[in-house]
Amino acid sequence: MATKVHLAQRPEADELLGRSPLAALVGMLLDQQVPMEWAFSGPYTIAQRLGSDDLDAHEIAAHDPERFAALLAEKPAVHRYPGSMAKRVQQLCRYLVDHYDGDAEKLWKGVDSGKELYKRLNALPGFGKQKAQIFLALLGKQYGIRPDGWREAAGDYGEEGSHRSVADITGPDSLARVRAFKQEMKAAAKAAE
């Protein structure tokens, strides 16, 4: 899966995201109510605090919940809500252990259709429709995981040339464009109220 990404805007964190399917999944899980770069730096911070160069679903799933929450809460915290996110990360890892032998890449390896991949992503703890579509678009646009119909299954996030989500971030310029798009959407939603 090794690829070059710029999601965290930190070389060491992006290097991990580029080679670790679980790190990419955890980054996507953390991507809510915090800046995208903070969320996608989280997997690197967690790995460092666990004394490893990668994340291991078996290890995280088996970790004492209180200790894992404390690990995410250490300064600087991995997320604005480290306790609830620690719980979600462990739930995700337990699901991967139970359904995919702890191997996040098995979620998409050998999947024939975008529809099936979307279904698998949407079934993950902490992933709803939007998060599943964004991650599907990220896999297609930046990781080369493109089963038939992946763009359609990703909805608007799969649109070529768009700047809607983390799936479209390839550097500082595209990050600024995605942020501008999100601000426009928030303003439009507020105006419609």
Side-chain angles (χ1 to χ4, degrees):
M1 173 173 146
T3 192
K4 190 162 180 71
V5 296
H6 302 279
L7 307 175
Q9 305 286 304
R10 289 178 51 204
E12 65 281 2
D14 283 328
E15 188 276 329
L16 175 61
L17 294 167
R19 67 176 162 81
S20 171
L22 181 55
L25 259 183
V26 169
M28 188 73 231
L29 180 70
L30 295 172
D31 188 20
Q32 61 186 58
Q33 300 181 343
V34 295
M36 289 175 274
E37 315 88 298
W38 185 4
F40 281 92
S41 292
Y44 177 78
T45 303
I46 294 168
Q48 293 294 292
R49 291 178 184 173
L50 288 172
S52 180
D53 68 346
D54 199 354
L55 299 179
D56 181 296
H58 293 277
E59 178 185 0
I60 292 171
H63 214 85
D64 175 81
E66 287 182 20
R67 287 189 178 160
F68 192 68
L71 185 117
L72 269 68
E74 283 177 30
K75 302 289 183 205
V78 170
H79 195 275
R80 178 180 293 156
Y81 304 107
S84 61
M85 283 304 175
K87 185 177 179 179
R88 286 184 181 185
V89 169
Q90 286 193 293
Q91 288 171 337
L92 173 65
C93 288
R94 277 190 212 101
Y95 185 90
L96 292 172
V97 167
D98 292 346
H99 295 86
Y100 296 98
D101 301 319
D103 184 355
E105 192 170 23
K106 287 185 177 180
L107 273 163
W108 52 83
K109 208 164 195 153
V111 171
D112 294 329
S113 72
K115 191 174 182 179
E116 175 62 25
L117 180 51
Y118 167 77
K119 185 176 164 189
R120 289 181 179 196
L121 293 170
N122 195 42
L124 294 172
F127 278 63
K129 178 183 179 186
Q130 185 179 35
K131 196 172 285 271
Q133 286 184 319
I134 291 170
F135 194 73
L136 178 53
L138 177 63
L139 288 172
K141 290 179 176 183
Q142 297 201 39
Y143 290 92
I145 311 299
R146 299 178 179 131
D148 287 343
W150 72 270
R151 283 193 190 275
E152 294 77 11
D156 291 341
Y157 301 105
E159 185 181 306
E160 196 167 350
S162 68
H163 288 89
R164 296 179 179 276
S165 72
V166 69
D168 304 307
I169 297 173
T170 56
D173 292 341
S174 56
L175 174 61
R177 291 178 73 183
V178 168
R179 281 220 165 91
F181 175 81
K182 287 182 176 240
Q183 290 301 322
E184 287 174 26
M185 293 293 95
K186 281 182 184 176
K190 198 169 194 169
E193 289 178 357

